């Protein structure tokens, strides 16, 4: 097992000077922060405890509405909280927090996409296309490379997104996907989850309250051997 100790040479290169304790949910988590310096798909690794091979990892894109404003229309905030609860319960893991608001388009275009969706009835991906934008410009290769730099070769990835699984596998990391099941109460939120099922092949359980929903099983072909 690869252990990333605060006192090791690897941790010295990977943010040991940022090591501190985070108080959360009545507990304390040791954490260090490592920058991912990419101009388009950068962000930070938050390395909790002493994670080794097989640890929990969440690759997460910034979402102001879901994380800070408590939006009922997307699953981002709930996914982040659930991922952190699981990492905290195990005492170690890695949160990869990427500055990819609006699937890489930014907050202004995200808001324009919402407006287009309201006016036309298009889903979130179709709305971007109507505005002349790619449905999703995010790249997860920089995040995957940063995880590989930590020395991780096998992870349990908290995700419904096959693109994230693929990026880590391409970086030589053995991926065991751990789906996140989030229920949204608003009609727009339920339609958003359905759009992710249809357009991006996210493995989200079927919702009987959304017309045309069908259950998808995990397509991921298994971990690298």
């Amino acid at each position: 097992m690869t252990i990333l100790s605060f006192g090791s040479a690897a941790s010295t290169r990977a943010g040991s000077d940022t090591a501190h304790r985070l108080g959360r949910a009545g507990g304390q988590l040791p954490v260090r922060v490592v920058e991912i310096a990419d101009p388009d798909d950068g962000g930070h690794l938050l390395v909790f405890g002493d994670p080794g091979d097989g640890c929990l990892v969440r690759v997460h894109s910034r979402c102001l509405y879901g994380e800070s404003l408590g939006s009922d229309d997307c699953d981002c905030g709930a996914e982040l909280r659930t991922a952190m609860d699981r990492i905290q319960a195990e005492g170690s893991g890695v949160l990869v927090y990427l500055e990819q608001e609006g699937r890489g388009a930014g907050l202004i275009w995200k808001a324009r996409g919402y407006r287009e969706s309201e006016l036309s009835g298009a889903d979130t991906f179709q709305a971007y296309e109507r505005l002349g934008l790619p449905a999703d410009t995010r790249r997860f290769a920089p995040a995957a490379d940063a995880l590989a730099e930590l020395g991780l070769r096998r992870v349990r990835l908290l995700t419904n997104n096959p693109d994230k699984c693929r990026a880590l596998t391409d970086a030589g990391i053995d991926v065991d996907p751990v789906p996140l099941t989030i229920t949204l109460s608003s009609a727009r939120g339920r339609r958003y989850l359905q759009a992710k099922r249809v357009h991006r092949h996210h493995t989200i359980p079927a919702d009987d309250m959304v017309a045309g929903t069908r259950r998808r099983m995990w397509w991921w072909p298994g971990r690298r051997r």
Side-chain angles (χ1 to χ4, degrees), residues 22-23 27 34 53 62-63 78 88 109 114 130 146 149 173 181 192 196 207-208 217 220-221:
L22 171 69
V34 183
D53 279 339
R62 181 179 184 269
C63 175
Q88 184 167 4
W109 282 108
Y114 270 120
R130 285 172 176 262
E149 283 290 318
I173 299 173
T181 301
Y192 174 57
K196 293 208 289 187
D207 185 343
D208 294 337
M217 301 301 292
W220 192 243

Side-chain angles (χ1 to χ4, degrees), residues 179-200:
L180 292 171
T181 301
I182 304 298
T183 301
L184 296 179
S185 58
S186 73
R188 170 183 259 172
R190 290 176 179 275
R191 290 195 299 269
Y192 174 57
L193 294 183
Q194 172 66 349
K196 293 208 289 187
R197 294 182 189 99
V198 172
H199 296 294
R200 308 305 295 179

